[in-house]
Amino acid sequence: MDKKLDMSQFLSTFGDETKEHLQKLNQGLLSLEKEPENEELVNEMFREAHTIKGGARMLGLGPIQELAHRLEDVLGEVREKRLRIDSRLSDLLFEGLDGIGILLEAALSGDLPGGPRPDLSDLSRRLVGAARQATKAEVAGKEEREEGEAKEARQKEQEKELKAKPEKIVARAPGSEETIRVSLDKLDRLLHLVGEVFTSKGRSVERLHRLRQLASLAKEAQRELSRFMEKLQSIPELSELAQFPEVLHRLYRCNNLSERLRDELGDFFTRFEEEALPASLTIDELRERAIEVRMLPVGSIFASFPRLVRDLSREQGKEITFEIRGEETELDKKILEGLSDPLLHIIRNCVDHGLENPEERKSLGKKPLGRIRLTASQRGGQVLIELEDDGRGIDAQMIKKIAREKGLLSENDIRGLSDKEIFSFIFTPGFSTRKSTTRLSGRGVGLDVVKTNIERLNGAIDLEATVGKGTKFTLKLPLTLAITEVLLVKVSGQTLAIPVAWVEEVVMVHPEEVERVNGREIIRARKHRATLVRLSDILNLGNGSAEMETLPVVVMGRDNR
């Protein structure tokens, strides 16, 4: 039983590492299509394939070892300049990488070795054929040419090493990092404990504030007592009190104790504040570092999209350049896992719906080469993912027409709606602007799923489009799902928490600023009219706060509303 458990752990580690190798191979092959003479890149890809082969052999995963070996053979022929990267060879190598991915999933699901497995024998034969064809195509004088090329390459390599070696050592040392694999459950437990500490810190801050008030109160009490003693001493009839020495003694003693209480409490507050401040900063940093442990760069999922765009553009006969920016921006691992499919849907939508074919673009005065740009950036406690194209855009009038045909809008509803509000119908289930279906789209499934999945991540999606100019999707996501920042409000004696991501602002509204329209209370918020609701009413908490000169109002927003 222990042996099987160990094997499962080894297989899981191999799976994670192989996925990383496949990602690097995909990226390398995309780059190699643009730089077929890049020898260093070919060598790196050869090493990646060799590593996959070695790991598969150690675990007895014969099919993966075999396919990786065939890829290694072809890359070896490219390295020896007996094969040149072209579109046909790229397609074959991409098939090989996909094949390893298929076999890897089968192995991780328990189908390898032993049980039924995907039949990739034809792919393996074609890879073998490509490698052998290169060998047979050698012409006379190969040996002499190779020797001359090898000699020249060695000379270049020696010169390169002499020039670059010191710089490589200096550049590589600062960035070197050691890593270990930690289960997400352990990180979640750690974050839970950090959350408890952070909550305790909040209570300590509240007590510190209370202590400040007590110190101030003690100072004021002693000041009043001192004034009383001074006034008492100035009274001529004080001599009569001399007959009551016990009273005078008590008064003086009370004054002395009050001074001591003031000094001791003030000193205690000062020392407590001095000690609490560093601890508070340490807890804040601990919380930030704990959150960072769960964070991964968005580039870890962005890296697979260039290959997707390349394959889709070839399939549809379109010319597309795909730009990625801000891939170093970090997000919670769980959010990243849920973000991959929505972005996949949107990219397919941009390629299929958004971008025109080269002939259509030329007729519109555009460059034949279409552009899709994927950008990530952090804004405060949110991450913005923007995906835009320079294609045909979206016609709001067409959206209105389809919405009317589907019964989503009436003529009365349409009046007064902005283009942004009209575009929101694109995210309605079953809504499609396609008259015919394709393999990519037109079935009314996609953007409604995107919106649903983004909202499950506590995020929101926005859409902007201009006819003939292009379309832009903006995804707004929290940095992490592990910790939710909230605004605390008190209603009818109960404390409630509102997620900060939904809060636009907190304002004080005078009762005379509240309008009544059709039985509803309306206020002006950021130049827009917003319905005013009372939490005590909608949550059935009984009577709300007593009448106040100004009403504390939390303005909340979602999907630009």
Side-chain angles (χ1 to χ4, degrees), residues 14 18 48-73 96 99-101 103-104 107 112 117 120 124 127:
F14 171 76
T18 300
E48 296 290 344
H50 183 77
T51 302
I52 294 175
K53 182 183 76 172
R57 182 175 63 248
M58 288 180 62
L59 292 176
L61 302 175
I64 296 179
Q65 177 191 346
E66 168 71 14
L67 201 50
H69 182 54
R70 298 309 168 203
L71 280 173
E72 186 184 33
D73 287 343
I100 291 179
L103 292 171
L104 179 63
L112 283 178
R117 62 188 62 174
L120 300 176
S124 183
L127 286 168

Side-chain angles (χ1 to χ4, degrees), residues 67 167 210 212 298 504:
L67 201 50
E167 296 180 5
R210 180 62 177 157
R212 182 187 289 111
V298 295
E504 295 290 335

Side-chain angles (χ1 to χ4, degrees), residues 479-540:
L479 282 173
T480 179
L481 294 177
I483 295 177
T484 302
E485 294 187 343
V486 296
L487 171 69
L488 296 180
V489 298
K490 186 164 284 188
V491 181
S492 300
Q494 294 196 35
T495 302
L496 308 176
I498 303 174
V500 170
W502 289 59
V503 177
E504 295 290 335
E505 61 181 334
V506 178
V507 296
M508 299 302 290
V509 177
H510 291 279
E512 58 268 20
E513 295 177 309
V514 179
E515 307 172 28
R516 288 193 174 274
V517 179
N518 297 327
R520 294 186 302 171
E521 292 183 316
I522 304 293
I523 63 169
R524 291 278 177 179
R526 296 192 177 185
K527 299 181 181 179
H528 297 284
R529 302 177 83 184
T531 302
L532 183 67
V533 296
R534 300 176 187 271
L535 281 177
S536 57
D537 293 338
I538 62 175
L539 298 179
N540 296 319

Side-chain angles (χ1 to χ4, degrees), residues 109-139:
S109 64
D111 293 339
L112 283 178
R117 62 188 62 174
D119 184 9
L120 300 176
S121 54
D122 179 63
L123 173 59
S124 183
R125 282 194 296 270
R126 284 186 285 133
L127 286 168
V128 170
R132 287 179 178 172
Q133 185 180 6
T135 304
K136 291 179 181 178
E138 283 293 288
V139 295

Side-chain angles (χ1 to χ4, degrees), residues 127-334:
L127 286 168
V128 170
R132 287 179 178 172
Q133 185 180 6
T135 304
K136 291 179 181 178
E138 283 293 288
V139 295
K142 175 191 72 172
E143 191 171 326
E144 183 179 348
R145 184 178 70 252
E146 285 184 347
E147 186 178 349
E149 290 175 350
K151 185 177 180 180
E152 184 180 352
R154 282 195 300 272
Q155 289 175 346
K156 288 182 179 179
E157 189 66 27
Q158 288 172 355
E159 292 174 0
K160 184 177 178 183
E161 287 180 1
L162 286 173
K163 293 178 181 178
K165 190 172 181 181
E167 296 180 5
K168 283 184 178 178
I169 293 174
V170 173
R172 195 176 298 166
S176 58
E177 293 184 359
E178 294 184 2
T179 61
I180 60 171
R181 295 183 184 275
V182 180
S183 71
L184 206 56
D185 287 342
K186 289 182 179 179
L187 292 181
D188 285 340
R189 288 197 293 272
L190 174 63
L191 272 172
H192 176 73
L193 292 174
V194 170
E196 292 297 324
V197 173
F198 193 77
T199 303
S200 297
K201 173 221 166 184
R203 297 193 190 100
S204 298
V205 171
E206 187 177 345
R207 292 189 184 107
L208 183 62
H209 176 67
R210 180 62 177 157
L211 186 59
R212 182 187 289 111
Q213 292 177 325
L214 290 175
S216 177
L217 187 63
K219 185 182 293 186
E220 182 64 26
Q222 202 283 323
R223 189 182 297 119
E224 287 295 323
L225 185 58
S226 295
R227 288 172 184 162
F228 172 73
M229 292 298 296
E230 291 173 2
K231 190 171 182 179
L232 191 65
Q233 290 172 358
S234 66
I235 297 175
E237 291 78 8
L238 184 63
S239 58
E240 296 180 8
L241 287 176
Q243 302 174 22
F244 305 97
E246 183 69 18
V247 175
L248 285 176
H249 175 72
R250 295 288 182 183
L251 284 173
Y252 284 120
R253 179 168 173 74
C254 186
N255 185 54
N256 292 335
L257 288 174
S258 178
E259 288 180 350
R260 284 183 58 190
L261 176 63
R262 176 201 62 190
D263 296 339
E264 290 286 345
L265 196 55
D267 183 57
F268 178 77
F269 168 73
T270 300
R271 284 186 283 109
F272 187 79
E273 188 177 40
E274 289 174 351
E275 294 173 0
L277 182 59
S280 176
L281 294 175
T282 301
I283 291 172
D284 288 344
E285 185 175 1
L286 175 63
R287 178 175 178 263
E288 291 176 9
R289 296 292 176 263
I291 292 175
E292 284 178 3
V293 173
R294 287 175 56 100
M295 308 287 271
L296 291 174
V298 295
S300 60
I301 63 167
F302 283 9
S304 63
F305 296 142
R307 164 76 189 281
L308 171 69
V309 173
R310 180 248 186 208
D311 291 346
L312 294 178
S313 61
R314 286 173 63 110
E315 180 181 319
Q316 296 206 348
K318 296 180 179 180
E319 298 176 9
I320 302 174
T321 178
F322 185 64
E323 303 172 9
I324 295 179
R325 298 178 181 178
E327 57 264 49
E328 71 283 353
T329 304
E330 294 189 331
L331 262 176
D332 187 292
K333 182 178 184 294
K334 285 189 176 180

